[in-house]
Amino acid sequence: EVALVDDGSAALGNAARDVSPEGPVADALVTRTPGLPVVTFSADCVLVILADRRRRAVASVHASRLGTFGDIAPRALARMTR
């Protein structure tokens, strides 16, 4: 899942804190709020940071094997640009 977060978003707390037995709620966090940090954690997976200066959007992506096969980075980029 790709979560869009802003400083007033309920998704911010869910994506940052809530973890189900199956894993994190979101594998990518996207924000267009200047100054709002987005953070992902990983033990051994690749972390991808995306930035779009024109749209003033950033994304932090947890690119696990399943996420990579599920196109998580392109999905985060698409979410940044819409």
Side-chain angles (χ1 to χ4, degrees):
E1 177 185 348
V2 177
L4 180 63
V5 295
D6 61 31
D7 55 358
S9 171
L12 176 63
N14 292 339
R17 289 191 304 256
D18 293 348
V19 177
S20 72
E22 294 78 38
V25 173
D27 278 326
L29 301 176
V30 174
T31 189
R32 293 184 198 101
T33 303
L36 181 69
V38 289
V39 178
T40 50
F41 296 94
S42 171
D44 60 354
C45 296
V46 174
L47 298 176
V48 179
I49 305 300
L50 303 170
D52 183 333
R53 285 185 178 190
R54 195 181 75 202
R55 289 187 173 88
R56 298 185 52 106
V58 296
S60 182
V61 181
H62 173 255
S64 67
R65 180 179 54 87
L66 292 175
T68 299
F69 286 128
D71 293 327
I72 191 67
R75 288 177 31 225
L77 183 60
R79 187 73 184 262
M80 288 171 60
T81 59
R82 60 172 135 132

